């Protein structure tokens, strides 16, 4: 090994953290009832983040989950 330290350079491009939304905001984004979303959050595969008894959702993860679960009909 040499005496010189190796410098690790991180990419300049940094991602913005995704904003997690509440159940009410999820309803506004996707347009289903609170009851429908409560049923989905009870499912094992549904992407939900639980912090201190509060439910938070990543809209991008939810949209991907919905596309896999309920594909759009092809015309």
């Amino acid at each position: 090994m040499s005496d010189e330290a190796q410098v690790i350079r991180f990419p300049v491009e940094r991602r913005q953290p995704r904003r997690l939304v509440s159940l009410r905001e999820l309803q506004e984004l996707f347009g289903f009832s609170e009851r429908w979303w409560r049923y989905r959050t009870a499912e094992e595969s549904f992407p939900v983040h639980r912090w201190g008894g509060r439910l938070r959702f990543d809209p991008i993860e939810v949209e991907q989950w919905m596309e896999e679960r309920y594909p759009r009909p092809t015309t």
Side-chain angles (χ1 to χ4, degrees):
M1 279 192 77
S2 68
D3 292 336
E4 294 180 32
Q6 183 180 6
V7 176
I8 299 173
R9 302 220 184 263
F10 291 100
V12 175
E13 177 188 328
R14 293 185 187 246
R15 290 184 176 180
Q16 293 293 330
R18 293 183 184 171
R19 181 176 178 272
L20 299 179
V21 298
S22 67
L23 183 60
R24 184 174 306 276
E25 291 171 304
L26 200 63
Q27 287 175 258
E28 292 172 6
L29 287 171
F30 294 99
F32 295 100
S33 69
E34 180 179 351
R35 186 177 195 177
W36 191 89
W37 288 112
R38 295 262 180 213
Y39 280 123
R40 301 295 79 81
T41 58
E43 296 180 25
E44 285 289 322
S45 63
F46 189 76
V48 60
H49 302 271
R50 299 172 195 267
W51 278 299
R54 295 181 184 210
L55 302 178
R56 293 294 180 256
F57 308 90
D58 181 342
I60 295 170
E61 289 177 359
V62 170
E63 187 172 15
Q64 289 170 349
W65 181 87
M66 289 179 66
E67 286 292 328
E68 292 171 5
R69 188 75 181 238
Y70 306 104
R72 295 179 188 198
T74 57
T75 56

